[in-house]
Each structure stands twice: as C-alpha cells, then as structure tokens.
Amino acid sequence: QQQQQQQECGTGSGPGAPGGAVLINGCGEGGDPPQPMRFKMLGPKRPSHTDPLEVARQLTLMDYAHFARVEPVEWARGQKSLSVVRVTSWFNHASFHVTEDIWGCSDLADRRACLAFYIRVCDSLRALQSFGMLMAVLSALGGVPVNRLRGTWESLATHEPKVVELHGEVEAFMSPAINFKRY
C-alpha cells in the first residue's frame, strides 16, 4: 500500500506545499504533486470540458505558486510589494477567466453546462481547502456579468436542482458572516 501511494504521489520534495508537503490528493509529506489526470477533450478546448477535480487541482497548484513567492515580511510591511500585487492579479485573472468562459458559450444549454461545471469546481476547491481559488470562482459566479444571466440560472434550477443546492452550500460555507467562521 505504501508503494502504491509512492507511485501515485512520487518521491522526493516537490513544489506542492511548504517544506515539500503535498496538500492535495491525500499525498503525505515529502511527495511530489500527483500527476495530472488524463482526459479526452470533448469538442472545443474549454476548461468546462474536463474533470472539475482536475481543474480545481491545477488552480490550487497555480495559486500556491503565486502565494509561495510572497515573503512573510512583505505581508507585515503593509505596503504593496510586487509579490502581493501578483497574488491579487492572479485572483482577478482567475475570476475573469471563469466569467469569460461562461460568457463564451453560444447557447443556453452550453452556458448552463458551463455554470454547473464551475459550481462543481467550487465544490472540489472546497474539498481541497483551496479557499483563495474558491473565493475567486465564487466571485465570478456572483459577479454582475454571470449573476444577471437569469435565464441560465433558471434553466440550471430546472435541469440540475442538486447543482443549485450545491452552489448554495458552497456560498454559505464561504460566507463572510462572523469573520468567515464556517471555514
């Protein structure tokens, strides 16, 4: 069993987390991040045509790469350092990409599927405890361009009510009430 975990996680210290620890996919201390999942693209190359867990994993790894560059003194200074600005820019870029992907869908069924996909990505991000990226995707879903797609949200509620319920759960989990006590 230990050999199987070493094969899945790799060996040696990797970039997956501080001190070489890997934070995702159940890999323990000292392992490299798990290999990306292999998937077959369905139609045009869009993130919404892949596995939500894999997108969440990759977002988590990219978020960590930006966050790891920030030195502790940069947070303490209270000034805008280049590394902190990059973390903020990455958050905004990820959020914008989700909005753009949803708006890039040509018809209602595609938009509904894309919206459902990103809600599933949110659930995967919550499971991975990647709260920064979870907030980025949720802010895209709650932003004016996506939130005003009333027909898409109504269609989602009609065709996939469990996904709408999942969206409500994730939003409640990330609620800023009581200083974000829920997570």
Side-chain angles (χ1 to χ4, degrees), residues 85-141:
V85 169
R86 284 184 182 147
V87 170
T88 305
S89 295
W90 162 243
F91 178 97
N92 293 335
H93 175 77
S95 184
F96 177 74
H97 180 76
V98 171
T99 301
E100 189 177 53
D101 196 30
I102 294 169
W103 269 84
C105 298
S106 57
D107 64 0
L108 179 63
D110 285 345
R111 247 188 334 274
R112 180 182 67 234
C114 194
L115 185 59
F117 169 79
Y118 281 111
I119 292 170
R120 289 183 183 104
V121 168
C122 284
D123 189 45
S124 296
L125 287 166
R126 177 177 59 168
L128 294 172
Q129 298 180 6
S130 181
F131 301 124
M133 282 295 92
L134 177 53
M135 284 300 285
V137 176
L138 276 178
S139 69
L141 297 179

Side-chain angles (χ1 to χ4, degrees), residues 129 167 169:
Q129 298 180 6
H167 179 252
E169 290 172 15

Side-chain angles (χ1 to χ4, degrees), residues 23-157:
L23 301 176
I24 58 175
N25 202 23
C27 297
E29 291 282 330
D32 289 327
Q35 291 296 314
M37 295 176 181
R38 303 288 181 216
F39 55 87
K40 187 175 182 179
M41 294 300 278
L42 308 171
K45 294 183 178 182
R46 301 174 63 97
S48 56
H49 290 116
T50 61
D51 183 57
L53 176 60
E54 179 61 15
V55 171
R57 290 172 67 226
Q58 295 304 317
L59 284 172
T60 301
L61 291 171
M62 288 186 283
D63 189 41
Y64 174 76
H66 289 282
F67 192 76
R69 292 183 186 149
V70 181
E71 296 293 327
V73 287
E74 293 177 282
W75 293 114
R77 271 190 249 160
Q79 299 173 350
K80 288 186 179 181
S81 71
L82 183 59
S83 299
V84 173
V85 169
R86 284 184 182 147
V87 170
T88 305
S89 295
W90 162 243
F91 178 97
N92 293 335
H93 175 77
S95 184
F96 177 74
H97 180 76
V98 171
T99 301
E100 189 177 53
D101 196 30
I102 294 169
W103 269 84
C105 298
S106 57
D107 64 0
L108 179 63
D110 285 345
R111 247 188 334 274
R112 180 182 67 234
C114 194
L115 185 59
F117 169 79
Y118 281 111
I119 292 170
R120 289 183 183 104
V121 168
C122 284
D123 189 45
S124 296
L125 287 166
R126 177 177 59 168
L128 294 172
Q129 298 180 6
S130 181
F131 301 124
M133 282 295 92
L134 177 53
M135 284 300 285
V137 176
L138 276 178
S139 69
L141 297 179
V144 173
V146 175
N147 201 22
R148 291 185 70 176
L149 295 171
R150 287 192 178 89
T152 304
W153 285 100
E154 289 170 2
S155 177
L156 186 65

